[in-house]
Amino acid sequence: ETGVTQSPTHLIKTRGQQVTLRCSSQSGHNTVSWYQQALGQGPQFIFQYYREEENGRGNFPPRFSGLQFPNYSSELNVNALELDDSALYLCASSLSGDRGATNEKLFFGSGTQLSVL
Amino acid sequence: DQQVKQNSPSLSVQEGRISILNCDYTNSMFDYFLWYKKYPAEGPTFLISISSIKDKNEDGRFTVFLNKSAKHLSLHIVPSQPGDSAVYFCAASVIRSNLFFGTGTRLTVIP
């Protein structure tokens, strides 16, 4: 059973650029969530994808967007990067049933550390 | 506005003693609570959870207590081991919605 893997592990971008972060869910998991963890803070919910559709969004602007693919892997895209976007971005997968996405037990990847200069 | 708060950024405990990590929340709609443990350079790992219909849940050395009237939960680790040294995050949700995390408590277990 493979765990949640994220790529790249580290990334440096400049202000105004665009970035794509990737996540491969744990085998069999159909739900993926993205969280942003700023230095000294807890993870903050960005959005969740369930069955390839967005299923909830936190307090993040539209320049944060995502995709979930049929194989349940996922991307997080951030446009027009700002200095405050510097953070650890965590992907988490879970197995949801037919009644809808669940957050009862998330499995997290190790994250992508994004630095915006 | 921080809906889940961990007011102690750090805690040091002697090996073999009890570690008690505390968490407070403000949203009375929360009905599911979790603790995650995070080692450096790794993602958070699920530790233990509790539903609001219970006031205690135990798993080996780890016990979570929930006091709904006080909007407070705590994680007890007995006995504490050096391998327990990590950052512990408290999280809460309304079932099937996203998690709200606290800012974490760094636990150091001294051999």
Side-chain angles (χ1 to χ4, degrees):
Chain A
E1 179 181 88
T2 57
V4 179
T5 57
Q6 293 186 243
S7 61
T9 55
H10 296 82
L11 200 52
I12 299 175
K13 291 285 189 178
T14 56
R15 197 170 45 180
Q17 285 188 310
Q18 179 267 343
V19 69
T20 297
L21 310 182
R22 294 181 173 84
C23 172
S24 179
S25 299
Q26 181 155 318
S27 177
H29 283 188
N30 57 11
T31 304
V32 65
S33 305
W34 286 91
Y35 285 78
Q36 179 197 67
Q37 186 180 6
L39 193 62
Q41 302 296 315
Q44 210 173 352
F45 177 68
I46 303 175
F47 45 56
Q48 181 183 71
Y49 279 82
Y50 170 61
R51 293 182 171 175
E52 302 177 52
E53 292 191 2
E54 188 176 291
N55 182 65
R57 188 180 184 91
N59 189 25
F60 281 81
R63 58 190 185 84
F64 286 78
S65 63
L67 281 173
Q68 186 184 28
F69 300 101
N71 66 355
Y72 303 130
S73 65
S74 176
E75 285 182 357
L76 164 65
N77 298 289
V78 187
N79 292 323
L81 283 167
E82 300 177 0
L83 298 180
D84 285 348
D85 295 334
S86 296
L88 179 69
Y89 288 85
L90 294 163
C91 168
S93 73
S94 57
L95 178 60
S96 303
D98 292 337
R99 287 192 293 159
T102 181
N103 288 275
E104 292 182 10
K105 192 170 181 178
L106 300 183
F107 291 80
F108 282 87
S110 300
T112 293
Q113 185 66 53
L114 174 65
S115 298
V116 182
L117 306 178
Chain B
D1 181 33
Q2 193 78 21
Q3 298 188 48
V4 178
K5 299 176 184 178
Q6 295 177 256
N7 292 318
S8 298
S10 63
L11 175 68
S12 291
V13 171
Q14 287 288 123
E15 181 179 3
R17 306 294 291 269
I18 183 171
S19 295
I20 300 177
L21 296 96
N22 293 304
C23 178
D24 297 293
Y25 61 96
T26 58
N27 188 343
S28 58
M29 297 298 292
F30 287 145
D31 57 4
Y32 190 65
F33 304 88
L34 309 90
W35 285 92
Y36 278 82
K37 179 170 71 173
K38 187 178 186 300
Y39 293 118
E42 294 184 13
T45 304
F46 171 78
L47 193 57
I48 192 169
S49 64
I50 187 167
S51 164
S52 61
I53 61 174
K54 296 184 175 180
D55 54 18
K56 176 182 174 181
N57 188 28
E58 196 170 350
D59 184 2
R61 297 186 297 115
F62 302 92
T63 303
V64 56
F65 294 93
L66 175 62
N67 183 333
K68 289 189 296 292
S69 61
K71 294 192 179 68
H72 177 84
L73 67 157
S74 61
L75 174 68
H76 292 209
I77 306 174
V78 183
S80 300
Q81 299 174 354
D84 296 330
S85 296
V87 177
Y88 288 78
F89 290 100
C90 168
S93 78
V94 178
I95 285 184
R96 301 188 182 281
S97 75
N98 56 284
L99 299 182
F100 290 84
F101 283 86
T103 52
T105 296
R106 181 177 301 278
L107 173 66
T108 302
V109 180
I110 304 163

